[in-house]
Amino acid sequence: MDHSSARDSEFVRSLYSRYGRSLLGRVLGLVHGDYQRAEDIVQETFLRAWQHQDSLDPDRAGPWLHTVAHNLVVSAYRKVKARPAESPMPEDDSGGWAEDTDGGDQELDRMLERWQMLDAMRGLRPEHRDVLIEVYYLRRTVAETAEHLGVPLGTVKSRCYYGLRALRNVLEERGVTSR
């Protein structure tokens, strides 16, 4: 093996030892636990990292790798959705073919965003997560949240502030950007 091949091999090995486990876990969640698909996507992700090693900083590669893997999952999903239907499409009331109006791509994007958010929420401190769930997901007021959790109003406000900040940091670390 020449010097260049050894360097390439070491680059991929170091990335894999550093990020492989977390990347596989994340992809497994995105593909509903299909281990074979997850391994294929992780392998393709590291292949792309190898192809971009000249512009990739190993110390900051995590978000890049997670974004590439996410995009590969989305591309694979869209490729499957683009295949012709294997069974006849249902007819509408008029006897014509019913159109798919629920927007499969939009639904996929919403689903992936929910997975990303759920995964990011797991990275928060429990008290921050609890307040954010109460206020933003259950749509309780600050007063209702304070009463439900048995903490002062100011504590709820403070936990919301610091929880949102921590959530933004977790999402940025994973390469998810705000719109």
Side-chain angles (χ1 to χ4, degrees), residues 41-171:
I41 289 169
V42 168
Q43 183 177 11
E44 178 67 24
T45 301
F46 282 101
L47 173 64
R48 292 187 183 192
W50 171 74
Q51 291 169 335
H52 292 90
Q53 66 182 305
D54 294 335
S55 61
L56 197 57
D57 177 1
D59 293 328
R60 294 185 167 154
W64 187 89
L65 291 167
H66 281 269
T67 300
V68 168
H70 172 267
N71 291 341
L72 289 170
V73 170
V74 170
S75 293
Y77 177 83
R78 288 182 177 158
K79 190 181 295 183
V80 167
K81 294 294 278 184
R83 286 182 45 204
E86 294 178 10
S87 59
M89 293 178 63
E91 292 185 25
D92 65 14
D93 293 340
S94 67
W97 294 111
E99 286 189 37
D100 179 17
T101 57
D102 63 333
D105 288 344
Q106 290 177 348
E107 180 59 30
L108 171 66
D109 289 341
R110 283 192 299 273
M111 183 175 62
L112 291 173
E113 286 172 3
R114 279 181 285 217
W115 283 336
Q116 288 175 328
M117 189 60 71
L118 177 62
D119 193 39
M121 291 285 282
R122 287 185 185 124
L124 299 180
R125 292 175 44 191
E127 59 271 14
H128 290 153
R129 183 175 49 244
D130 292 346
V131 167
L132 292 178
I133 289 170
E134 294 287 324
V135 173
Y136 293 100
Y137 286 97
L138 300 178
R139 299 201 180 272
R140 290 193 170 131
T141 65
V142 171
E144 291 169 338
T145 300
E147 183 179 331
H148 182 76
L149 295 177
V151 296
L153 285 171
T155 301
V156 171
K157 291 177 184 178
S158 173
R159 288 180 182 174
C160 271
Y161 173 80
Y162 288 108
L164 286 172
R165 218 165 105 181
L167 183 60
R168 183 185 69 228
N169 290 339
V170 169
L171 290 170

Side-chain angles (χ1 to χ4, degrees), residues 12 16 19-28 35-49 65 68-69 72-73:
V12 173
Y16 190 82
Y19 303 108
R21 190 173 183 176
S22 70
L23 192 61
L24 181 61
R26 174 109 184 278
V27 172
L28 267 171
Y35 199 81
Q36 297 290 153
R37 278 184 61 205
E39 281 186 325
D40 289 345
I41 289 169
V42 168
Q43 183 177 11
E44 178 67 24
T45 301
F46 282 101
L47 173 64
R48 292 187 183 192
L65 291 167
V68 168
L72 289 170
V73 170

